[in-house]
Amino acid sequence: MSDGKKDIFERMLAGGLIEIHDPQMSKAWEVIFRAIKLSAALNAASDVHEVRERLSEITGTQIDKSTTVFVPFYTNFGKHIKLGKNVFIN
């Protein structure tokens, strides 16, 4: 960032304290509201392929075909979830 302050998501991953009045908090709220909206679609999915697609949207990374997640699955953020190969979540 131009002012030398780390991005809010970098600070989250580093375990930093994020105050509700942080000037970058609006960026986090965007991710939260998006994840909540996509979670509804995820939990309405009728097959494992559709679940992977919705999870990929939530996490921002492609979920491997060897990974299986049974719904319901809940997250209010999702951006920092990492799922590897051969993961099974029931």
Side-chain angles (χ1 to χ4, degrees), residues 1-80:
M1 300 196 62
S2 59
D3 64 359
K5 187 175 184 181
K6 287 185 178 179
D7 179 82
I8 191 166
F9 303 118
E10 292 173 313
R11 291 184 283 136
M12 286 177 178
L13 286 172
L17 179 63
I18 308 297
E19 298 287 337
I20 193 71
H21 299 294
D22 188 291
Q24 296 180 19
M25 193 62 194
S26 64
K27 291 169 67 175
W29 284 118
E30 288 177 25
V31 172
I32 291 165
F33 294 139
R34 182 176 182 274
I36 290 169
K37 180 180 176 182
L38 290 172
S39 290
L42 166 68
N43 288 315
S46 58
D47 67 58
V48 69
H49 304 292
E50 191 176 354
V51 169
R52 280 189 209 108
E53 288 176 20
R54 297 298 78 79
L55 269 176
S56 294
E57 288 179 277
I58 291 170
T59 64
T61 59
Q62 188 64 41
I63 303 300
D64 191 79
K65 292 179 182 178
S66 67
T67 294
T68 301
V69 176
F70 288 163
V71 292
F73 182 90
Y74 299 102
T75 181
N76 62 358
F77 193 74
K79 183 177 176 77
H80 298 147

